[in-house]
């Protein structure tokens, strides 16, 4: 997500303000001629004003992370959505004592049913939260939280998370302490063992868990790696948000990075790459955060915009600043973050209702 939502907006939310009005690009007349029009999947309760990452629980329920940046008086929480459409708060996410809040974004379950969370403390822009991001492991017993383990701490901007072969792969959308000669933003991918505890991250090239980095070349949108997925072959795909590009990272059997190349990029179809998911046919679905759109990438790296919405409140199923898609029960569910504004955004304000949209897989 965009880091432009800084401390001033956090303070504004405490005073009751919900958005900053900015001019955003208008849709072109041809942008409605797309394969699909998104539909409303669910309206969320007031405790979930900023829906983001999603994962499927062991029992098949959809779990939704709500960092609630739009209203930090609401505790960051996890929502549970059953197959018959019932929506309820599952639990509040354990807060970091130093800041008093949690900021769950990317989430994923392992085979044992433990839930891993990217606690992106730094997204708020609050000084006290700088470099306080965590990767958490929540262990349960009878659906009740039994233990919270800190896998890693001190992270600048942990965002997306995937699990493969006992390893956690986490995107860090900003690594500001790593300076490129170009002056452009550096971001990267970290890898932790699933059973790691209390790994202290420095957000520098000295971190042994940092396996690869990229540079965001778009000077107007300096926000780096975000969405993350694996394909069946074990290739890792990560979205470079500001460049609207998807990188393919190849690794050997020991997890060493062999290559990191831009695999798919077409800004006429995909302007920004936020959350991503992959379907059973190997197609990657990407939330285009700035354009209020969702795109699909085939196995050859060809990008096609699937659906797009004008500035909207999401009540009719519009893509109200999509943050992440997930394949669930034969359809694509999309969280509507609906918060960030700016010259490159279709979204102009945060407003009710708080929604999830849906698209067809076909």
């Amino acid at each position: 997500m965009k880091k432009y939502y800084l401390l001033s907006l956090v303070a504004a939310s405490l005073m009751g303000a919900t958005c900053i009005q900015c001019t955003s690009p208008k849709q072109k007349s041809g942008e409605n001629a797309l394969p699909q029009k998104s539909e409303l999947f669910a309206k969320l309760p007031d405790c979930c004003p900023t829906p983001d990452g999603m994962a499927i629980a062991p029992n098949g329920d959809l779990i939704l992370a709500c960092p609630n940046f739009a209203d930090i008086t609401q505790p960051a929480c996890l929502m549970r959505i059953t197959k018959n459409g019932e929506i309820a708060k599952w639990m509040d996410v354990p807060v970091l004592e130093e800041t008093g809040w949690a900021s769950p974004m990317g989430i994923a379950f392992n085979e044992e049913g433990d839930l891993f969370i990217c606690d992106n403390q730094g997204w708020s822009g609050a000084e006290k939260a700088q470099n306080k991001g965590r990767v958490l492991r929540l262990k349960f017993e009878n659906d009740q939280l039994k233990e919270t383990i800190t896998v890693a701490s001190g992270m600048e901007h942990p965002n997306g998370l995937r699990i493969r072969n006992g390893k956690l792969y986490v995107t860090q959308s900003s690594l500001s302490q790593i300076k490129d000669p170009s002056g452009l933003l550096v971001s990267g991918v970290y890898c932790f063992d699933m059973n790691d505890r209390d790994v202290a991250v420095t957000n520098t090239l000295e971190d042994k868990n940092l396996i690869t980095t990229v540079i965001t070349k778009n000077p107007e949108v300096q926000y780096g790696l975000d969405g993350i997925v694996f394909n069946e072959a074990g290739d890792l795909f990560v979205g470079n948000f500001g460049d609207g590009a998807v990188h393919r990272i190849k690794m050997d059997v020991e997890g060493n990075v062999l290559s990191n190349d831009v695999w798919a990029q077409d800004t006429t179809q995909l302007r920004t790459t936020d959350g991503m998911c992959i379907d059973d046919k190997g197609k990657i679905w990407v939330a285009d955060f700035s354009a209020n759109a969702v795109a699909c990438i085939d196995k050859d790296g060809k990008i096609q915009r699937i659906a797009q919405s004008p500035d909207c409140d999401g009540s009719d199923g519009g893509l109200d600043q999509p943050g992440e898609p997930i394949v669930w029960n034969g359809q694509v569910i999309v969280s509507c973050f609906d918060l960030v504004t700016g010259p490159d955004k279709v979204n102009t304000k945060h407003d009710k209702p708080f929604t999830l949209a849906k698209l067809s897989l076909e």
Side-chain angles (χ1 to χ4, degrees):
M1 306 300 175
K2 298 303 297 163
K3 195 164 64 174
Y4 303 146
Y5 177 66
L6 298 177
L7 182 58
S8 60
L9 189 50
V10 174
S13 72
L14 289 172
M15 294 185 290
T18 58
C19 67
I20 296 176
Q21 295 285 352
C22 299
T23 302
S24 63
K26 295 181 179 180
Q27 279 188 289
K28 298 177 183 178
S29 59
E31 287 180 338
N32 289 324
L34 295 173
Q36 294 191 47
K37 184 179 187 298
S38 60
E39 298 178 1
L40 182 66
F41 174 71
K43 292 184 180 180
L44 301 168
D46 288 352
C47 64
C48 188
T50 323
D52 192 55
M54 293 174 285
I56 300 172
N59 71 347
D61 289 347
L62 183 64
I63 304 301
L64 170 68
C66 299
N68 291 342
F69 296 117
D71 180 3
I72 62 174
T73 65
Q74 293 280 356
C77 65
L78 301 172
M79 305 295 293
R80 181 184 291 276
I81 304 174
T82 65
K83 291 182 179 180
N84 62 8
E86 295 177 358
I87 303 173
K89 181 189 280 192
W90 181 21
M91 60 177 293
D92 291 337
V93 176
V95 302
L96 177 63
E97 185 176 352
E98 295 172 66
T99 61
W101 68 62
S103 305
M105 298 187 86
I107 59 175
F109 285 93
N110 67 5
E111 293 180 354
E112 289 74 39
D114 299 342
L115 180 64
F116 292 80
I117 299 175
C118 282
D119 178 18
N120 195 342
Q121 295 273 330
W123 197 95
S124 67
E127 184 176 354
K128 67 178 181 179
Q130 291 181 3
N131 298 327
K132 293 295 195 308
R134 304 176 292 171
V135 176
L136 301 178
R137 181 179 186 175
L138 275 54
K139 300 179 74 69
F140 302 94
E141 188 173 288
N142 298 323
D143 207 36
Q144 299 297 313
L145 181 60
K146 178 182 178 182
E147 183 181 12
T148 300
I149 298 168
T150 300
V151 176
S153 63
M155 304 185 77
E156 180 177 354
H157 211 73
N159 202 329
L161 183 153
R162 289 291 184 265
I163 300 172
R164 185 176 176 85
N165 296 335
K167 303 288 185 182
L168 310 179
Y169 295 84
V170 177
T171 55
Q172 275 241 82
S173 303
S174 174
L175 291 168
S176 60
Q177 296 184 66
I178 301 176
K179 305 298 183 183
D180 185 78
S182 66
L184 296 171
L185 177 74
V186 177
S187 59
V189 179
Y190 280 71
C191 177
F192 304 100
D193 187 270
M194 195 165 58
N195 294 312
D196 278 344
R197 290 174 178 250
D198 300 318
V199 176
V201 172
T202 68
N203 305 295
T204 70
L205 293 174
E206 299 300 315
D207 289 336
K208 66 177 184 179
N209 300 91
L210 179 60
I211 61 172
T212 192
T213 60
V214 304
I215 296 169
T216 300
K217 297 179 181 178
N218 182 356
E220 302 301 321
V221 185
Q222 285 287 279
Y223 195 82
L225 295 185
D226 194 323
I228 177 171
V229 295
F230 278 95
N231 67 7
E232 286 187 355
D235 293 338
L236 177 61
F237 296 86
V238 291
N240 190 344
F241 184 102
D243 289 350
V246 175
H247 290 242
R248 178 170 59 186
I249 300 168
K250 288 186 171 291
M251 294 177 280
D252 62 22
V253 293
E254 296 179 348
N256 300 306
V257 173
L258 301 175
S259 63
N260 178 353
D261 302 302
V262 174
W263 172 70
Q265 186 176 29
D266 180 354
T267 54
T268 69
Q269 300 295 308
L270 178 64
R271 279 182 29 213
T272 54
T273 54
D274 204 303
M276 307 193 304
C277 69
I278 190 165
D279 65 22
D280 290 340
K281 295 181 179 179
K283 296 186 297 183
I284 296 175
W285 298 74
V286 187
D288 191 340
F289 187 83
S290 296
N292 271 18
V294 170
C296 192
I297 311 175
D298 68 18
K299 289 185 175 182
D300 296 322
K302 182 180 179 181
I303 305 172
Q304 181 183 22
R305 181 169 285 166
I306 299 298
Q308 184 175 31
S309 300
D311 186 29
C312 63
D313 64 8
S315 60
D316 65 349
L319 296 168
D320 192 7
Q321 196 160 71
E324 181 163 299
I326 191 170
V327 176
W328 187 61
N329 287 346
Q331 53 194 345
V332 179
I333 309 303
V334 185
S335 61
C336 294
F337 197 77
D338 182 30
L339 179 60
V340 183
T341 60
D344 67 318
K345 306 291 186 297
V346 171
N347 190 56
T348 61
K349 63 180 178 179
H350 175 74
D351 49 17
K352 287 187 175 183
F354 315 135
T355 61
L356 303 177
K358 66 178 180 179
L359 295 164
S360 168
L361 269 174
E362 302 301 327

